[in-house]
Amino acid sequence: MDGRDLVRSMKSVGSVRAAQGLRTVRAAWRRRRADATGLPPRGVERARVPGVVREVTPEPGGGIVRFSRSELRILVTVNGAVFCGWDGAEPEPSYALAGRCPDADPRAVLEPDKDGGWRVVAERVTVVVSRHGAVEVRTPGGVTLRRDLPPRWWEPVGGGPARWTQRSEVAADARFFGLGGRASGPRLRDGTYRLWNTGPGRAVGPGEDPPSITMPVQLVVADAGTHLVFHDNPWDGRVTLREGEEGEGSGHDRAGWSELRMDGGPLRCWVMQGTPGRTLLTWASLTGAPSLPPAWALGHHHVHSAIGSEQEVRRIVAGYQEVGLPLDALHLDSDHFDAHQVFTVDQERFGKLPDLADDLRRDGVRLVSVVTPAVRATPGNAVFDAGAAEDAFVREASGEVARGVSRAGEVVFPDFTHARVRAWWGGLYAERLAQGFAGFWHDQNEPTSLTAFGEPTLPRSARHALDGRGGDHREAHNVYALCMSRAAHDGLRSLAPEERPFAVSRSGWAGMQRHGGAWTGDAVTGWPGLRASLALVMGLGLCGVPCAGPDVGGLDGDPSPELFLRSLQLGAYLPLFRTRASARAERREPWDFGAEVLEHARVALVERRRLLPYFMTLAHLARRTGAPFVRPLWWSAPEERALRDCEDAFLLGDGLLVAPVLDPGADRRAVQLPRGRWYDTVTGRAYEGPAQVLVDAPLERIPVLARAGAVLPVRGEDGALELEVWAPARGRTGSGLVVPDEGDGWAEPEIERYTARWAGPRIVVEREHEDGVREPSHPVRVRGLGPG
């Protein structure tokens, strides 16, 4: 334990109860001692580079290029993705991939290139390998999207995992996005970003890094095209990004570059290119289709940090009903557990929880339970005893069960990287379902402790099964929460096969969308925290996690009425819409902020409910195509440079543009419009893009604009689905997709396709069908026909 660890631990002593602080100090010492004995010293290292090409072996989809000191496998798959694996690294096994690696493209051929290099030519991509090991990914037209320089390894002379680094060059005009979503994003500026899921134990703001969800996924947007690169390696690492600079006049461009440094693990990566939509489709086909939430989960959620009894639950729900605010789900934090023990209800305060859940469900409100991986290490705790009998808990290198610390005392952690343990843990959700819970909120699953500084509770030397391969926490840390989500998802599918599971997780890794959505963690209360929330949601969507959202209002502090309202207005247009009442704030519920805020909050909540059919349609499209709900303005026009730098507005699907208010005191704001006509959904005023326009943003609403020609499914005044059609410009047509689904089951509703066109003085809306066109299946309301 070094001085920094000691200072952090001592600070935590002063910030929590003394007993917990002392446990934290002891745990930090124990972790340091375990790593000192369980991890071999690196000692002297030897640097290595690939060398020069010696021979090649063609294979389906590409082949193996052997260098004097390394070898590289190139594989182009049938979906157009490119795999590069060094030193024998294969696509499998992988926690990111959904099932088996896609089949090789039989038309891709490995052939000689100039200067002693080789290339693989496929329909959608060309991969060029130089004689020294540089790898270029080019468009079918021959334009270079990415050039990976020869990698370099540092191998311990005495054996052990090798550190490695790889530097890549991109176009001078390229912009970086992704890495799991960063609070300073969505566009990732020059800097170094760590790849190590971290729960800091406190609210975080834009300057905090790393977040709870990190992924070695970069989405790069440039004039030449869009590409996504994924380094399939969950070890600790750092990505350094530098944007390029275009030369003026006769000057030369300075290429942008990224450099990845990993502490160990394989050097293998996937690259896919095309339009943003095609790129995310390929990514979803590789890592799995996003899970489809039940319809109720797209409504309004609320969590109170300190609900101490069933009476308090009923009071909160009654409060929403009394003021006429829609509420679809109420989240219970750990206060409903018996002494914070997972899956054990406090019978004194919540003795009739199933009856309570039934009463709330009749009112349209579901209960959602928090679940953490920390199991209180107390004999007599049913989960601890069962886990010990299953040998389910992570062990230290010495063979002893690894122990951490939380508010409940000493805790142990299941090894979710073992299939047997996942099956056991998934079965425990039967208790939650029997208590009436309909959804789950996974928290503290980085895993980190509940100290003020979020000290890691598992030493890096802790042993994990890693599904039969064996390894330590250095490799398992980033995929720990992913495996926990898998355990929950598979368990719920087995326990309640007729219902779509709903679960959101604070932490995760590439492929987490298969098992549920993401909650972006404890955002700091303040205007910077509001910007950070939008950046995180947008960044996660570009990494394949379409269903994500922050806590409206933040975790700590007491938001001003204006900040709370602007945060709620933004949240109403994000996939996961969850308000949070902090136990430390004076004002906790929407009606506590005054009559004016309550009225404006009601408008936002009612509009969210009106748009639920649109959100459900976007959820189905995300499952089928990988396209996120929340999209950057450049989504359909990545060649528009002005849109690449716009970070304070977003597209909700194809039909709506949302421009939240992110600064105090603003009643107007500038909006960068993509090409086409856009209508203010409140005033009906039309704007022509591409352009930057100034729009009104009064306290009662944020600017939302509809694309001309959009056909949006909405909920009518009678609660039935209707089509809201925004008039296309004269001489133009419009279109839209509708997936009518209001249930929780697995039926696959038919996608309805609609077109809108001018026919003389009126607009005709038709439903496309395999045998021609038909009348719309739902009532139609045309908007945008007024002046302007």
Side-chain angles (χ1 to χ4, degrees):
M1 182 177 188
D2 60 20
R4 182 179 302 175
D5 287 333
L6 181 60
V7 169
R8 288 181 176 180
S9 298
M10 294 307 295
K11 283 185 177 180
S12 70
V13 172
S15 63
V16 295
R17 298 189 312 269
Q20 179 181 335
L22 291 175
R23 285 196 300 266
T24 303
V25 173
R26 288 197 297 268
W29 275 105
R30 189 165 57 236
R31 286 194 305 271
R32 179 68 63 176
R33 185 172 61 250
D35 285 344
T37 58
L39 293 177
R42 295 198 65 87
V44 178
E45 295 180 323
R46 177 177 51 244
R48 175 169 62 88
V49 295
V52 296
V53 173
R54 295 301 188 192
E55 60 178 349
V56 300
T57 301
E59 292 182 343
I64 298 176
V65 182
R66 294 182 176 84
F67 300 84
S68 57
R69 291 181 292 274
S70 188
E71 68 177 36
L72 169 67
R73 182 184 180 191
I74 301 290
L75 170 67
V76 179
T77 63
V78 290
N79 62 3
V82 177
F83 173 79
C84 298
W86 288 91
D87 288 347
E90 298 287 340
E92 302 172 42
S94 169
Y95 283 106
L97 267 60
R100 301 298 304 275
C101 171
D103 293 336
D105 183 352
R107 298 168 295 178
V109 179
L110 178 65
E111 59 187 29
D113 195 40
K114 62 183 180 179
D115 299 327
W118 292 80
R119 65 182 180 183
V120 178
V121 180
E123 180 181 5
R124 299 184 191 174
V125 68
T126 297
V127 184
V128 179
V129 182
S130 77
R131 65 189 297 264
H132 291 288
V135 179
E136 288 188 13
V137 177
R138 299 175 179 173
T139 67
V143 178
T144 298
L145 294 174
R146 186 179 194 88
R147 182 172 187 266
D148 294 338
L149 301 180
R152 180 181 295 268
W153 295 266
W154 287 269
E155 301 168 329
V157 173
R163 298 183 296 118
W164 55 265
T165 183
Q166 186 168 57
R167 188 179 177 115
S168 305
E169 296 177 348
V170 296
D173 65 286
R175 296 290 182 264
F176 298 100
F177 301 86
L179 296 184
R182 302 289 165 142
S184 58
R187 173 184 162 195
L188 303 176
R189 264 58 176 196
D190 294 358
T192 298
Y193 302 84
R194 191 179 179 191
L195 299 170
W196 187 257
N197 294 348
T198 301
R202 64 188 188 283
V204 298
E208 305 286 344
D209 190 79
S212 298
I213 301 175
T214 67
M215 299 182 196
V217 178
Q218 295 179 35
L219 189 70
V220 184
V221 182
D223 288 352
T226 300
H227 74 274
L228 181 148
V229 59
F230 165 54
H231 285 85
D232 194 352
N233 182 337
W235 282 62
D236 193 359
R238 286 172 171 77
V239 178
T240 300
L241 303 177
R242 291 290 184 272
E243 292 182 350
E245 184 176 342
E246 293 181 292
E248 298 181 1
S250 60
H252 296 287
D253 289 351
R254 177 174 59 81
W257 57 268
S258 67
E259 184 175 78
L260 175 61
R261 291 180 175 268
M262 301 298 292
D263 286 350
L267 203 175
R268 56 180 180 174
C269 73
W270 290 88
V271 181
M272 47 218 77
Q273 65 89 27
T275 64
R278 176 180 286 277
T279 300
L280 267 293
L281 175 62
T282 304
W283 176 242
S285 71
L286 189 69
T287 60
S291 134
L292 184 67
W296 63 264
L298 293 172
H300 172 219
H301 300 235
H302 182 68
V303 60
H304 196 299
S305 297
I307 296 180
S309 65
E310 294 177 7
Q311 292 72 28
E312 182 72 7
V313 172
R314 294 185 185 276
R315 183 197 68 78
I316 293 173
V317 173
Y320 273 90
Q321 294 171 339
E322 289 173 7
V323 297
L325 296 182
L327 181 65
D328 298 276
L330 185 68
H331 294 222
L332 297 190
D333 209 335
S334 58
D335 294 300
H336 78 283
F337 289 125
D338 180 13
H340 303 290
Q341 297 187 50
V342 180
F343 301 113
T344 307
V345 172
D346 187 322
Q347 292 299 319
E348 289 188 9
R349 295 179 295 121
F350 291 88
K352 298 181 179 179
L353 195 53
D355 295 337
L356 172 64
D358 287 342
D359 291 344
L360 296 184
R361 190 179 287 249
R362 282 191 288 271
D363 289 334
V365 180
R366 267 73 169 185
L367 282 182
V368 176
S369 171
V370 69
V371 176
T372 72
V375 177
R376 187 175 181 183
T378 305
N381 175 2
V383 177
F384 174 74
D385 292 343
E390 287 277 347
D391 189 22
F393 301 123
V394 176
R395 292 182 178 273
E396 295 182 359
S398 64
E400 297 181 4
V401 173
R403 294 176 180 252
V405 61
S406 78
R407 288 179 292 179
E410 282 199 329
V411 293
V412 293
F413 295 89
D415 183 6
F416 296 119
T417 70
H418 196 303
R420 173 176 52 79
V421 176
R422 289 196 296 269
W424 166 73
W425 185 266
L428 297 178
Y429 286 78
E431 185 273 345
R432 299 282 83 192
L433 295 176
Q435 294 290 342
F437 288 104
F440 302 93
W441 154 33
H442 293 152
D443 195 6
Q444 301 292 337
N445 54 347
E446 288 76 13
T448 57
S449 72
L450 297 178
T451 70
F453 288 87
E455 295 285 353
T457 53
L458 288 174
R460 290 176 175 244
S461 58
R463 305 301 297 172
H464 291 266
L466 290 171
D467 288 289
R469 293 181 293 109
D472 58 42
H473 196 64
R474 293 175 296 177
E475 182 176 358
H477 177 87
N478 281 338
V479 298
Y480 186 86
L482 171 72
C483 294
M484 178 185 178
S485 295
R486 177 181 175 182
H489 184 269
D490 292 350
L492 293 170
R493 288 292 305 268
S494 176
L495 294 167
E498 302 302 318
E499 297 183 7
R500 302 199 291 258
F502 171 72
V504 293
S505 179
R506 187 173 86 170
S507 185
W509 204 62
M512 65 180 293
Q513 74 277 358
R514 300 191 299 266
H515 315 306
W519 159 60
T520 58
D522 300 326
V524 66
T525 299
W527 295 96
L530 188 57
R531 285 184 176 272
S533 297
L534 176 57
L536 288 166
V537 173
M538 199 177 302
L540 283 167
L542 295 176
C543 290
V545 186
C547 188
D551 281 340
V552 169
L555 172 69
D556 62 340
D558 191 4
S560 68
E562 181 191 12
L563 174 60
F564 173 81
L565 182 60
R566 293 308 196 187
S567 179
L568 185 140
Q569 290 168 338
L570 167 60
Y573 292 94
L574 299 180
L576 175 63
F577 179 27
R578 188 174 93 157
T579 52
R580 182 164 191 162
S582 171
R584 297 188 292 271
E586 294 182 5
R587 292 172 290 222
R588 302 180 180 184
E589 317 298 345
W591 50 86
D592 292 329
F593 290 88
E596 183 182 22
V597 169
L598 175 61
E599 185 56 34
H600 299 334
R602 182 181 295 108
V603 171
L605 291 168
V606 169
E607 178 65 6
R608 171 59 175 239
R609 177 149 292 189
R610 191 182 77 91
L611 289 174
L612 282 179
Y614 185 49
F615 276 92
M616 194 72 253
T617 293
L618 294 179
H620 277 277
L621 296 180
R623 180 169 178 81
R624 301 187 190 201
T625 69
F629 296 50
V630 172
R631 308 169 186 176
L633 296 187
W634 48 259
W635 178 260
S636 298
E639 69 281 359
E640 295 287 344
R641 295 191 178 188
L643 300 180
R644 291 183 209 159
D645 298 336
C646 182
E647 302 177 282
D648 60 356
F650 60 91
L651 298 174
L652 182 60
D654 285 332
L656 295 177
L657 188 158
V658 182
V661 175
L662 305 176
D663 297 301
D667 59 5
R668 304 192 79 190
R669 60 150 294 174
V671 179
Q672 188 71 43
L673 295 179
R675 191 175 303 277
R677 176 173 295 179
W678 297 85
Y679 296 99
D680 187 309
T681 56
V682 173
T683 67
R685 179 178 176 180
Y687 299 90
E688 297 292 337
Q692 185 178 78
V693 298
L694 195 62
V695 298
D696 290 334
L699 188 62
E700 59 264 28
R701 64 182 177 89
I702 59 174
V704 178
L705 298 99
R707 187 190 301 272
V711 179
L712 307 178
V714 300
R715 180 176 290 182
E717 293 182 359
D718 60 354
L721 191 151
E722 71 176 29
L723 303 180
E724 182 175 272
V725 180
W726 288 90
R730 287 283 184 174
R732 302 274 183 175
T733 60
S735 62
L737 302 176
V738 177
V739 183
D741 176 14
E742 296 183 359
D744 301 343
W746 293 100
E748 289 285 350
E750 179 185 357
I751 295 181
E752 301 175 2
R753 303 174 184 274
Y754 292 91
T755 59
R757 59 181 176 85
W758 284 96
R762 66 189 187 95
I763 291 177
V764 175
V765 180
E766 298 170 320
R767 179 182 173 185
E768 295 182 354
H769 198 266
E770 57 185 11
D771 57 1
V773 297
R774 296 181 177 180
E775 291 291 321
S777 305
H778 315 282
V780 175
R781 184 163 63 102
V782 179
R783 300 187 63 186
L785 295 175

